[in-house]
Amino acid sequence: MLERRRTRLIAAADAPLRAAISDAAPVPRMPDDGDELRFCSTCAFGSVCVPHGVDKAALGELHCLVEHVGPYRSGQRIFHAGDRFGAIYAVRGGTVKTSLTDDEGREQVLGFHLPGEMIGLNAIHPAKYPCDAIALDTAYVCRFSFPALATLAMRFPGVQQQLFRLLSADIGKAALLAGDHSADERLAAFLVGLADRYAARGFSHTALRLSMARSDIANYLRLAAETVSRVLRRFQDQRLIAVEGRDVVLTDAAALRHLARNIVHG
Amino acid sequence: MLERRRTRLIAAADAPLRAAISDAAPVPRMPDDGDELRFCSTCAFGSVCVPHGVDKAALGELHCLVEHVGPYRSGQRIFHAGDRFGAIYAVRGGTVKTSLTDDEGREQVLGFHLPGEMIGLNAIHPAKYPCDAIALDTAYVCRFSFPALATLAMRFPGVQQQLFRLLSADIGKAALLAGDHSADERLAAFLVGLADRYAARGFSHTALRLSMARSDIANYLRLAAETVSRVLRRFQDQRLIAVEGRDVVLTDAAALRHLARNIVHG
DNA sequence: GCGCCCGGTTGACCGAGATCAAGGCGCGGC
DNA sequence: GCCGCGCCTTGATCTCGGTCAACCGGGCGC
């Protein structure tokens, strides 16, 4: 359903992703039991349940409270800025961008979210979503009612811990944007950060497909789209990467990492 | 007890602050009972206990687990980047900056923290402090053992909620740095943000004393110190502010707010 | 007192990246 | 097929803010 054939070169870097999606598609709401492994393999709460081996009971209850929603088509909103906060979401398949639009109508991209990553954590405090969440391709998400989750966390220390960790991790994420770094550093950090996040989910460490437009990347990195184009071109000339449309291969990841060395996270 | 008398102009804008400090000074460790109101008036956890009226019992337990530490002299570190994470801190008096130093030895200021604000929340996930916390003047802090706090949160929903809110709030804080805003916008947002935070703590809405050096402000806003100087001078020429050393009066807060309108938070 | 040092200010110049403008290319619709 | 519209790229020019340099003034040690 998603883009049919992926070209050679990167080949099907997102094949496992599509597999996950096709798995998810026929499961519109309640997860069936005996599905734990698959459920946890991509989910941000997987680490509550599987790796730590504790709170097996919590897993069952999470299953009951999670709601699978989607598909969202490219461009569709999962939630709107200003909506009353009621749930946090985990991306299950596809890519989601979060952004906000200021008075003058200028968009400000806050982040891109891959399968397994949480969105909506920054809505707890203001009690309403402070940004839009928009699907960049066909996307599926898991909805966790926050009151229910908080109640669950009261009973399972592992769940509470994981929530604290997820929240804490997000605080540091803005570091990429925060520092005053050159366009080269930003782009290098963006690419290796994305590659690392894909790699952590079982995809290739060096080949990736950008699901967002150049203008979104530029906006996210606080650069002009033209600058993104030029830097990518230069990286290619320097044999750091191979670019073909939205497919990128990191041919010299070490050099990219060196460029990005002063930017924590991705 | 906060701000006794508010002085003319800026004069000693931090006089009430100092008063708070001298109150705190003779209380080196365990808070004495019957101290609730004072404890809560500046503390970030005040809102757990007092305003919501619930979890009165939690207040007592918080009292037992909090540890008053200080004074720290200007320049002293409260915690170091890399230290194992064990506690979060609330500023009780004075001002604290958080910053990290990259491989090349360049400092990167992450934020300034006034009395009542929490620091160390971003250390939960990595399980070690990702930055230094340095006193900018004579500073006092409250130390909350995080394991103890998490345990307390398991029993008191209000405490858990407040922790979630504090963490969530911090996620959005980087917005000032994040956007690509002009030097004017950044400085205006910084000034009104600081004024609002002081105001929320009972200080003047329009007069404030900058406890940090120009170079720290510049670093925090990702500008050169010279640029901060020049913009402040221009703001003064435009009658937006009156500057005298580290004392600033916002003479046209409306105009400053308008300049900063596209920057959320401060 | 004197000199030093640090923080702050001001001016002159420079450069990274934004902006403006033009053109190419791929894809969906007709 | 052909057209039209986004997305992307490339080139020319402009500009905001950084960098370098000089100077000022206050606090502190001697």
Side-chain angles (χ1 to χ4, degrees):
Chain A
M1 45 166 11
L2 257 205
E3 65 235 317
R4 203 51 42 86
R5 74 241 100 107
R6 191 88 310 277
T7 53
R8 81 262 60 215
L9 183 55
I10 327 267
D14 57 349
L17 188 62
R18 251 186 275 117
I21 290 173
S22 55
D23 280 354
V27 184
R29 292 188 63 82
M30 280 301 140
D32 30 32
D33 290 338
D35 196 18
E36 277 92 319
L37 285 177
R38 204 134 41 89
F39 174 70
C40 288
S41 64
T42 48
C43 177
F45 278 101
S47 50
V48 191
C49 321
V50 177
H52 295 90
V54 288
D55 288 337
K56 288 288 185 196
L59 176 58
E61 303 221 25
L62 270 172
H63 263 132
C64 294
L65 93 83
V66 73
E67 213 180 317
H68 291 182
V69 292
Y72 293 91
R73 290 284 151 195
S74 177
Q76 285 188 319
R77 276 173 173 69
I78 293 155
F79 54 74
H80 287 68
D83 286 355
R84 202 175 61 76
F85 170 69
I88 61 177
Y89 296 85
V91 179
R92 188 176 168 80
T95 315
V96 175
K97 83 169 168 187
T98 45
S99 68
L100 54 86
T101 306
D102 68 19
D103 307 350
E104 278 83 5
R106 285 180 303 235
E107 185 183 14
Q108 173 122 189
V109 176
L110 301 182
F112 303 107
H113 307 272
L114 311 184
E117 298 178 342
M118 301 293 313
I119 50 180
L121 295 173
N122 53 355
I124 299 171
H125 168 65
K128 56 184 184 179
Y129 296 99
C131 58
D132 296 318
I134 300 169
L136 288 175
D137 43 29
T138 303
Y140 296 79
V141 301
C142 297
R143 181 180 194 280
F144 296 84
S145 154
F146 191 72
L149 204 51
T151 305
L152 198 65
M154 293 294 290
R155 293 192 293 120
F156 296 102
V159 174
Q160 192 194 64
Q161 267 300 109
Q162 180 65 1
L163 274 170
F164 286 147
R165 270 197 299 265
L166 287 170
L167 280 156
S168 178
D170 257 28
I171 298 177
K173 290 288 170 59
L176 190 152
L177 306 173
D180 62 331
H181 302 288
S182 69
D184 287 26
E185 289 173 315
R186 281 168 196 270
L187 227 6
F190 177 71
L191 291 172
V192 300
L194 218 47
D196 286 349
R197 286 154 69 196
Y198 275 123
R201 282 155 187 82
F203 295 79
S204 163
H205 290 241
T206 55
L208 54 96
R209 152 154 276 254
L210 306 171
S211 39
M212 68 296 288
R214 296 283 194 277
S215 57
D216 281 334
I217 299 173
N219 188 316
Y220 175 63
L221 298 176
R222 279 54 178 163
L223 299 171
E226 293 93 329
T227 304
V228 170
S229 241
R230 280 186 255 265
V231 173
L232 287 179
R233 147 67 54 161
R234 188 152 36 74
F235 281 178
Q236 173 147 276
D237 293 346
Q238 292 166 181
R239 306 269 180 259
L240 303 182
I241 60 175
V243 189
E244 195 177 317
R246 290 190 175 185
D247 293 314
V248 179
V249 180
L250 311 189
T251 49
D252 190 349
L256 289 170
R257 267 173 220 290
H258 184 69
L259 267 175
R261 69 193 175 283
N262 285 323
I263 306 188
V264 282
H265 261 121
Chain B
M1 55 93 72
L2 260 204
E3 83 218 309
R4 201 58 39 86
R5 75 245 100 103
R6 191 94 301 276
T7 54
R8 83 257 63 201
L9 190 56
I10 328 271
D14 59 348
L17 192 61
R18 254 187 270 116
I21 290 173
S22 56
D23 280 355
V27 185
R29 291 189 62 83
M30 280 302 140
D32 30 30
D33 290 337
D35 197 17
E36 277 94 318
L37 285 176
R38 201 133 42 88
F39 174 69
C40 289
S41 65
T42 49
C43 175
F45 278 100
S47 51
V48 189
C49 321
V50 176
H52 296 89
V54 289
D55 287 337
K56 288 287 183 196
L59 175 59
E61 302 221 25
L62 270 172
H63 263 132
C64 292
L65 92 83
V66 73
E67 214 180 316
H68 291 182
V69 292
Y72 293 91
R73 289 284 150 197
S74 177
Q76 284 188 319
R77 277 173 173 67
I78 293 155
F79 54 76
H80 286 70
D83 286 355
R84 202 176 60 76
F85 170 69
I88 61 177
Y89 297 84
V91 179
R92 187 174 168 83
T95 314
V96 175
K97 82 169 169 187
T98 47
S99 68
L100 54 86
T101 305
D102 69 20
D103 307 349
E104 277 84 4
R106 284 179 304 236
E107 184 184 17
Q108 172 123 191
V109 175
L110 302 181
F112 303 107
H113 307 273
L114 311 184
E117 297 177 343
M118 301 292 313
I119 51 180
L121 295 173
N122 53 354
I124 299 171
H125 168 65
K128 56 184 184 180
Y129 296 98
C131 57
D132 295 318
I134 301 168
L136 288 176
D137 42 29
T138 303
Y140 296 79
V141 300
C142 296
R143 181 182 194 278
F144 295 86
S145 154
F146 191 71
L149 205 49
T151 304
L152 199 64
M154 294 293 290
R155 295 192 291 120
F156 296 102
V159 174
Q160 192 194 65
Q161 268 298 108
Q162 180 65 0
L163 274 171
F164 286 146
R165 270 197 297 265
L166 286 170
L167 280 156
S168 178
D170 257 28
I171 298 176
K173 289 288 171 57
L176 192 153
L177 307 173
D180 62 330
H181 301 288
S182 69
D184 288 25
E185 290 173 313
R186 281 170 197 271
L187 225 9
F190 176 72
L191 292 173
V192 299
L194 217 49
D196 286 350
R197 286 155 69 196
Y198 275 124
R201 280 156 187 81
F203 294 80
S204 163
H205 291 240
T206 53
L208 54 95
R209 154 156 276 255
L210 306 171
S211 39
M212 69 294 289
R214 295 283 193 277
S215 56
D216 281 335
I217 299 173
N219 187 318
Y220 174 62
L221 298 176
R222 278 54 178 165
L223 298 171
E226 293 92 330
T227 303
V228 170
S229 241
R230 280 187 257 264
V231 174
L232 287 179
R233 148 66 55 162
R234 189 151 36 74
F235 280 179
Q236 172 147 279
D237 292 347
Q238 294 166 178
R239 306 271 181 256
L240 303 182
I241 59 175
V243 188
E244 195 177 319
R246 291 190 175 185
D247 293 315
V248 179
V249 180
L250 311 190
T251 48
D252 190 349
L256 288 171
R257 267 173 220 289
H258 184 69
L259 268 176
R261 69 192 175 284
N262 286 322
I263 305 185
V264 280
H265 261 122

